[in-house]
Amino acid sequence: MESLVKFVQDEFVTKKDFPEFGAGDTITVFYEIKEGTKTRTQFFRGVVIQRRGSGSSETFTIRKMSGTIGVERIFPVNLPALQKIEVNKRGKVRRARIYYFRGLTGKKARITERRR
């Protein structure tokens, strides 16, 4: 049964070509918003906290600070409204899911940049 689901996902779900990114990276996600009959592009820039799932059900969580309030948003990788993803900075972290990042403030909340 699982192989049948995987087959259908691989065959019928269109995959978009996005750059490689992981936890700790700072990315900008451009996505389309429909308001009535109009559509516009909005972006969300923040640090990737996690990537979860595989195949067509894969999602990633981004956290940004809006003033003093932390805002997190979960995006499915295969969301039709996603237009493009830009990797602004590659972060050096030692975990795949950096939930501890939620509790950090100030200079402790900085993630060092990964050398190339």
Side-chain angles (χ1 to χ4, degrees):
M1 186 66 181
E2 292 176 15
S3 62
L4 180 64
V5 171
K6 186 174 181 339
F7 172 75
V8 170
Q9 287 177 349
D10 292 342
E11 288 294 318
F12 297 108
V13 175
T14 58
K15 295 197 188 284
K16 296 184 178 180
D17 191 28
F18 292 129
E20 288 293 320
F21 62 92
D25 295 350
T26 303
I27 65 172
T28 306
V29 178
F30 293 88
Y31 58 100
E32 202 171 77
I33 292 181
K34 293 180 180 154
E35 296 171 335
T37 58
K38 298 178 186 176
T39 60
R40 66 183 176 89
T41 302
Q42 185 169 326
F43 68 90
F44 193 90
R45 177 179 290 137
V47 177
V48 178
I49 288 186
Q50 69 171 349
R51 282 187 79 154
R52 154 177 285 175
S54 63
S56 66
S57 63
E58 186 177 0
T59 62
F60 58 96
T61 304
I62 300 180
R63 178 179 177 85
K64 75 172 184 175
M65 293 301 291
S66 180
T68 58
I69 298 171
V71 179
E72 289 186 10
R73 178 128 192 213
I74 299 171
F75 289 98
V77 172
N78 291 319
L79 185 70
L82 280 184
Q83 292 180 338
K84 68 177 178 175
I85 296 175
E86 291 178 352
V87 179
N88 304 105
K89 210 163 75 168
R90 302 248 182 220
K92 181 181 175 187
V93 292
R94 295 171 64 165
R95 295 172 185 250
R97 299 191 173 150
I98 52 173
Y99 296 130
Y100 65 89
F101 192 65
R102 294 172 175 158
L104 302 180
T105 57
K107 287 188 179 178
K108 292 179 183 176
R110 286 187 298 188
I111 295 177
T112 57
E113 194 164 357
R114 192 182 327 149
R115 290 187 187 179
R116 300 190 192 251

Coordinates of all heavy atoms in Angstrom, one line a residue, residues 8-68:
V8 N 2.1 7.0 -6.8 CA 1.2 8.1 -7.2 C 1.8 9.4 -7.0 O 1.7 10.3 -7.8 CB -0.2 7.9 -6.5 CG1 -1.1 9.1 -6.8 CG2 -0.9 6.6 -7.0
Q9 N 2.4 9.6 -5.8 CA 3.0 10.9 -5.5 C 4.1 11.2 -6.5 O 4.2 12.4 -6.9 CB 3.6 10.9 -4.1 CG 2.5 10.9 -3.0 CD 3.1 10.8 -1.6 OE1 4.3 10.5 -1.4 NE2 2.3 11.1 -0.6
D10 N 4.9 10.2 -6.8 CA 6.1 10.5 -7.7 C 5.6 10.8 -9.1 O 6.2 11.6 -9.9 CB 7.0 9.3 -7.7 CG 7.8 9.1 -6.4 OD1 7.8 10.1 -5.7 OD2 8.3 8.0 -6.2
E11 N 4.5 10.2 -9.6 CA 4.0 10.3 -10.9 C 3.2 11.6 -11.2 O 3.4 12.3 -12.2 CB 3.2 9.1 -11.3 CG 4.0 7.8 -11.6 CD 4.9 7.9 -12.7 OE1 4.5 8.5 -13.8 OE2 6.1 7.5 -12.6
F12 N 2.3 11.9 -10.2 CA 1.4 13.0 -10.5 C 1.6 14.3 -9.8 O 1.0 15.3 -10.2 CB 0.0 12.5 -10.1 CG -0.5 11.3 -10.9 CD1 -0.5 10.0 -10.4 CD2 -0.8 11.4 -12.3 CE1 -0.9 8.9 -11.1 CE2 -1.1 10.3 -13.0 CZ -1.2 9.1 -12.4
V13 N 2.5 14.3 -8.8 CA 2.8 15.6 -8.2 C 4.0 16.2 -8.9 O 5.0 15.6 -9.0 CB 3.1 15.3 -6.7 CG1 3.5 16.6 -6.0 CG2 1.9 14.8 -6.0
T14 N 3.8 17.5 -9.3 CA 4.9 18.2 -10.0 C 5.9 18.7 -9.0 O 5.5 19.3 -8.0 CB 4.3 19.4 -10.8 OG1 3.6 20.2 -9.9 CG2 3.3 18.9 -11.9
K15 N 7.1 18.4 -9.3 CA 8.2 18.9 -8.4 C 8.8 20.2 -8.9 O 9.0 20.3 -10.1 CB 9.3 17.8 -8.3 CG 8.8 16.5 -7.6 CD 10.0 15.7 -7.2 CE 9.6 14.3 -6.7 NZ 9.0 14.2 -5.5
K16 N 9.0 21.1 -8.0 CA 9.7 22.3 -8.4 C 11.2 22.2 -8.1 O 11.6 21.5 -7.2 CB 9.0 23.5 -7.7 CG 7.6 23.7 -8.0 CD 7.0 24.9 -7.3 CE 5.6 25.1 -7.7 NZ 5.0 26.3 -7.1
D17 N 11.9 23.0 -8.8 CA 13.4 22.9 -8.6 C 13.8 24.1 -7.7 O 14.0 25.2 -8.1 CB 14.1 23.1 -10.0 CG 15.6 22.8 -9.9 OD1 15.9 22.0 -9.0 OD2 16.3 23.3 -10.7
F18 N 14.0 23.7 -6.4 CA 14.4 24.7 -5.4 C 15.8 24.4 -5.0 O 16.3 23.3 -5.1 CB 13.5 24.7 -4.2 CG 12.1 25.1 -4.5 CD1 11.0 24.4 -4.1 CD2 11.9 26.4 -5.1 CE1 9.7 24.8 -4.3 CE2 10.6 26.8 -5.3 CZ 9.5 26.0 -5.0
P19 N 16.6 25.4 -4.5 CA 17.9 25.2 -4.1 C 18.0 24.3 -2.8 O 17.0 24.3 -2.0 CB 18.5 26.6 -3.8 CG 17.3 27.4 -3.5 CD 16.2 26.8 -4.4
E20 N 19.1 23.7 -2.5 CA 19.2 22.9 -1.3 C 19.4 23.8 -0.1 O 20.1 24.8 -0.1 CB 20.5 22.0 -1.4 CG 20.4 20.9 -2.4 CD 19.4 19.9 -1.9 OE1 19.3 19.6 -0.7 OE2 18.6 19.4 -2.8
F21 N 18.6 23.5 0.9 CA 18.7 24.3 2.2 C 18.4 23.4 3.3 O 17.7 22.3 3.1 CB 17.8 25.5 2.2 CG 16.4 25.2 2.0 CD1 15.6 25.1 3.2 CD2 15.8 25.1 0.8 CE1 14.2 24.8 3.1 CE2 14.4 24.8 0.7 CZ 13.6 24.7 1.8
G22 N 18.8 23.8 4.5 CA 18.5 22.9 5.7 C 18.4 23.8 6.9 O 18.3 25.0 6.8
A23 N 18.4 23.2 8.1 CA 18.2 23.9 9.3 C 19.3 24.8 9.6 O 20.5 24.5 9.3 CB 18.1 22.9 10.5
G24 N 19.0 26.0 10.0 CA 20.1 27.0 10.3 C 20.3 28.0 9.1 O 20.9 29.1 9.3
D25 N 19.8 27.7 7.9 CA 19.9 28.6 6.8 C 18.9 29.7 6.9 O 17.8 29.5 7.3 CB 19.8 27.8 5.5 CG 20.8 26.7 5.3 OD1 21.8 26.7 6.0 OD2 20.7 25.9 4.3
T26 N 19.3 30.9 6.4 CA 18.4 32.0 6.3 C 17.9 32.0 4.9 O 18.8 32.1 3.9 CB 19.1 33.3 6.7 OG1 19.6 33.2 8.0 CG2 18.1 34.5 6.6
I27 N 16.6 31.9 4.7 CA 16.1 31.9 3.3 C 15.0 32.9 3.1 O 14.4 33.4 4.1 CB 15.6 30.5 2.9 CG1 14.4 30.0 3.8 CG2 16.7 29.4 3.0 CD1 13.7 28.8 3.3
T28 N 14.7 33.2 1.9 CA 13.5 34.0 1.6 C 12.6 33.2 0.7 O 13.0 32.7 -0.4 CB 14.0 35.3 0.8 OG1 15.0 36.0 1.6 CG2 12.8 36.2 0.5
V29 N 11.4 33.1 1.1 CA 10.4 32.4 0.3 C 9.4 33.4 -0.3 O 8.8 34.2 0.4 CB 9.6 31.4 1.3 CG1 8.5 30.7 0.5 CG2 10.5 30.4 1.9
F30 N 9.3 33.3 -1.6 CA 8.3 34.1 -2.4 C 7.1 33.3 -2.7 O 7.2 32.2 -3.3 CB 9.0 34.6 -3.7 CG 10.1 35.6 -3.4 CD1 11.4 35.1 -3.3 CD2 9.9 37.0 -3.3 CE1 12.4 36.0 -3.0 CE2 10.9 37.8 -3.1 CZ 12.2 37.4 -3.0
Y31 N 5.9 33.7 -2.2 CA 4.7 33.0 -2.5 C 3.6 33.9 -2.9 O 3.6 35.1 -2.6 CB 4.3 32.1 -1.3 CG 4.1 32.9 0.0 CD1 2.8 33.3 0.4 CD2 5.2 33.4 0.8 CE1 2.6 34.0 1.5 CE2 5.0 34.1 1.9 CZ 3.7 34.4 2.3 OH 3.5 35.1 3.5
E32 N 2.6 33.3 -3.6 CA 1.6 34.1 -4.2 C 0.4 34.1 -3.3 O 0.0 33.1 -2.7 CB 1.2 33.4 -5.5 CG 0.5 34.3 -6.5 CD 0.3 33.6 -7.8 OE1 -0.6 32.7 -7.9 OE2 1.1 33.9 -8.7
I33 N -0.2 35.3 -3.1 CA -1.4 35.5 -2.3 C -2.6 36.0 -3.2 O -2.4 36.9 -4.0 CB -1.2 36.5 -1.2 CG1 -0.2 35.9 -0.2 CG2 -2.5 36.9 -0.5 CD1 0.1 36.8 1.0
K34 N -3.7 35.3 -3.0 CA -4.9 35.7 -3.8 C -5.8 36.5 -2.9 O -6.3 36.0 -1.9 CB -5.6 34.5 -4.4 CG -4.8 33.8 -5.4 CD -5.5 32.6 -6.0 CE -4.6 32.0 -7.0 NZ -4.8 30.6 -7.2
E35 N -6.2 37.7 -3.3 CA -7.1 38.5 -2.6 C -8.2 38.9 -3.5 O -8.1 39.8 -4.3 CB -6.4 39.8 -2.0 CG -5.3 39.5 -1.0 CD -4.5 40.7 -0.7 OE1 -4.4 41.6 -1.5 OE2 -3.9 40.7 0.4
G36 N -9.3 38.2 -3.4 CA -10.4 38.4 -4.3 C -10.0 37.9 -5.7 O -9.7 36.8 -5.9
T37 N -10.0 38.9 -6.7 CA -9.6 38.5 -8.0 C -8.1 38.8 -8.3 O -7.6 38.5 -9.3 CB -10.5 39.3 -9.0 OG1 -10.3 40.7 -8.8 CG2 -11.9 38.9 -8.9
K38 N -7.5 39.6 -7.4 CA -6.1 40.0 -7.6 C -5.2 39.0 -7.0 O -5.5 38.3 -6.0 CB -5.9 41.3 -6.9 CG -6.7 42.5 -7.5 CD -6.4 43.7 -6.8 CE -7.3 44.9 -7.2 NZ -7.0 46.1 -6.5
T39 N -4.0 38.9 -7.5 CA -2.9 38.1 -6.9 C -1.7 38.9 -6.8 O -1.4 39.8 -7.6 CB -2.6 36.9 -7.8 OG1 -2.1 37.3 -9.1 CG2 -3.7 35.9 -8.0
R40 N -1.0 38.7 -5.7 CA 0.3 39.4 -5.5 C 1.3 38.5 -4.9 O 1.0 37.5 -4.3 CB 0.1 40.7 -4.6 CG -0.3 40.3 -3.2 CD -0.6 41.6 -2.4 NE -1.1 41.3 -1.0 CZ -0.3 41.1 0.0 NH1 1.0 41.2 -0.1 NH2 -0.9 40.8 1.2
T41 N 2.6 38.9 -5.0 CA 3.7 38.1 -4.4 C 4.1 38.7 -3.1 O 4.4 39.9 -3.0 CB 4.8 38.0 -5.4 OG1 4.4 37.5 -6.6 CG2 6.0 37.2 -4.9
Q42 N 4.2 37.9 -2.1 CA 4.7 38.3 -0.8 C 5.9 37.4 -0.4 O 6.0 36.3 -0.9 CB 3.6 38.1 0.2 CG 4.0 38.7 1.6 CD 2.8 38.7 2.5 OE1 1.7 39.0 2.1 NE2 3.0 38.4 3.8
F43 N 6.8 38.0 0.4 CA 8.0 37.1 0.7 C 8.0 37.0 2.3 O 7.5 37.8 3.0 CB 9.3 37.7 0.2 CG 9.7 39.0 0.8 CD1 10.5 39.1 1.9 CD2 9.3 40.2 0.2 CE1 10.9 40.2 2.5 CE2 9.7 41.4 0.8 CZ 10.5 41.4 1.9
F44 N 8.7 35.9 2.7 CA 8.8 35.6 4.1 C 10.3 35.2 4.3 O 10.7 34.2 3.7 CB 7.9 34.5 4.5 CG 7.8 34.3 6.0 CD1 6.8 34.9 6.7 CD2 8.6 33.4 6.7 CE1 6.6 34.7 8.0 CE2 8.5 33.2 8.0 CZ 7.4 33.9 8.7
R45 N 11.1 36.1 5.0 CA 12.5 35.8 5.2 C 12.7 35.4 6.7 O 12.3 36.1 7.6 CB 13.3 37.1 4.9 CG 14.8 36.9 5.1 CD 15.6 38.1 4.8 NE 15.6 38.3 3.3 CZ 15.4 39.4 2.7 NH1 15.2 40.5 3.4 NH2 15.4 39.5 1.4
G46 N 13.4 34.3 6.9 CA 13.7 33.9 8.2 C 14.7 32.7 8.2 O 15.2 32.3 7.2
V47 N 14.8 32.1 9.4 CA 15.8 31.0 9.6 C 15.0 29.7 9.6 O 13.9 29.6 10.2 CB 16.5 31.1 11.0 CG1 17.4 30.0 11.2 CG2 17.2 32.4 11.1
V48 N 15.5 28.7 8.9 CA 14.8 27.4 8.8 C 15.1 26.7 10.1 O 16.2 26.5 10.5 CB 15.4 26.6 7.6 CG1 14.8 25.2 7.5 CG2 15.2 27.3 6.3
I49 N 14.0 26.3 10.8 CA 14.1 25.6 12.0 C 14.1 24.1 11.8 O 14.8 23.4 12.4 CB 12.9 26.0 12.9 CG1 13.1 27.4 13.4 CG2 12.7 25.0 14.0 CD1 12.1 27.8 14.4
Q50 N 13.3 23.6 10.8 CA 13.3 22.2 10.5 C 12.9 21.9 9.1 O 12.2 22.8 8.5 CB 12.4 21.5 11.5 CG 10.9 21.8 11.2 CD 10.0 21.0 12.0 OE1 10.4 20.0 12.6 NE2 8.7 21.3 12.0
R51 N 13.2 20.8 8.6 CA 12.6 20.2 7.4 C 12.1 18.8 7.9 O 12.7 18.1 8.6 CB 13.6 19.9 6.3 CG 14.0 21.2 5.6 CD 14.8 21.0 4.4 NE 14.1 20.5 3.3 CZ 14.4 20.6 2.0 NH1 15.5 21.3 1.7 NH2 13.7 20.2 1.1
R52 N 10.8 18.5 7.5 CA 10.2 17.3 8.0 C 9.5 16.7 6.8 O 8.9 17.3 5.9 CB 9.2 17.8 9.0 CG 8.0 16.9 9.2 CD 7.2 17.3 10.4 NE 7.9 17.0 11.6 CZ 7.5 17.3 12.8 NH1 6.4 18.0 12.9 NH2 8.1 17.0 13.8
G53 N 9.4 15.3 6.9 CA 8.7 14.5 5.9 C 9.6 14.2 4.7 O 10.8 14.5 4.6
S54 N 8.9 13.6 3.7 CA 9.7 13.2 2.5 C 8.7 13.2 1.3 O 7.5 13.0 1.5 CB 10.4 11.9 2.6 OG 9.4 10.9 2.8
G55 N 9.2 13.3 0.1 CA 8.4 13.2 -1.0 C 7.5 14.4 -1.2 O 7.9 15.5 -0.9
S56 N 6.2 14.2 -1.5 CA 5.3 15.3 -1.8 C 4.8 15.9 -0.5 O 4.2 16.9 -0.5 CB 4.2 14.8 -2.7 OG 3.4 13.9 -2.0
S57 N 4.9 15.2 0.6 CA 4.4 15.7 1.9 C 5.5 16.4 2.7 O 5.3 16.6 3.9 CB 3.8 14.5 2.7 OG 4.8 13.6 3.0
E58 N 6.6 16.7 2.1 CA 7.7 17.4 2.9 C 7.3 18.8 3.2 O 6.7 19.5 2.3 CB 9.0 17.3 2.0 CG 10.1 17.9 2.8 CD 11.4 17.8 2.0 OE1 11.4 17.3 0.9 OE2 12.5 18.2 2.5
T59 N 7.6 19.3 4.4 CA 7.4 20.6 4.8 C 8.7 21.2 5.4 O 9.6 20.5 5.8 CB 6.3 20.7 5.8 OG1 6.6 20.0 7.0 CG2 5.0 20.2 5.3
F60 N 8.7 22.5 5.5 CA 9.8 23.2 6.3 C 9.2 24.4 7.0 O 8.2 25.0 6.6 CB 10.9 23.6 5.3 CG 10.5 24.6 4.2 CD1 10.7 25.9 4.4 CD2 10.0 24.1 3.0 CE1 10.3 26.8 3.4 CE2 9.7 24.9 2.0 CZ 9.8 26.3 2.2
T61 N 9.8 24.6 8.2 CA 9.4 25.7 9.1 C 10.4 26.8 9.1 O 11.6 26.5 9.3 CB 9.2 25.1 10.5 OG1 8.3 24.0 10.5 CG2 8.6 26.2 11.4
I62 N 9.9 28.0 9.0 CA 10.7 29.2 9.0 C 10.3 30.1 10.2 O 9.1 30.3 10.4 CB 10.6 30.0 7.7 CG1 11.0 29.1 6.5 CG2 11.4 31.2 7.7 CD1 10.9 29.8 5.2
R63 N 11.3 30.6 10.8 CA 11.0 31.5 12.0 C 11.7 32.9 11.7 O 12.8 33.0 11.3 CB 11.6 31.0 13.3 CG 11.4 31.8 14.5 CD 12.0 31.2 15.7 NE 11.9 32.0 16.9 CZ 10.8 32.1 17.6 NH1 9.7 31.4 17.4 NH2 10.8 32.9 18.7
K64 N 10.9 34.0 11.9 CA 11.5 35.3 11.8 C 11.0 36.1 13.0 O 10.0 35.8 13.6 CB 11.1 36.0 10.5 CG 9.6 36.5 10.5 CD 9.4 37.3 9.2 CE 8.0 37.9 9.2 NZ 7.8 38.8 8.1
M65 N 11.7 37.2 13.3 CA 11.3 38.1 14.3 C 10.6 39.3 13.7 O 11.2 39.9 12.8 CB 12.5 38.5 15.1 CG 13.2 37.4 15.9 SD 12.1 36.6 17.1 CE 11.9 37.9 18.3
S66 N 9.4 39.5 14.2 CA 8.6 40.7 13.7 C 8.6 41.6 14.9 O 7.7 41.5 15.8 CB 7.3 40.3 13.3 OG 6.5 41.4 12.8
G67 N 9.5 42.6 15.0 CA 9.6 43.4 16.2 C 10.2 42.5 17.3 O 11.3 42.0 17.2
T68 N 9.5 42.4 18.4 CA 9.9 41.5 19.5 C 9.2 40.2 19.6 O 9.3 39.4 20.5 CB 9.7 42.2 20.9 OG1 8.3 42.6 21.0 CG2 10.6 43.5 20.9

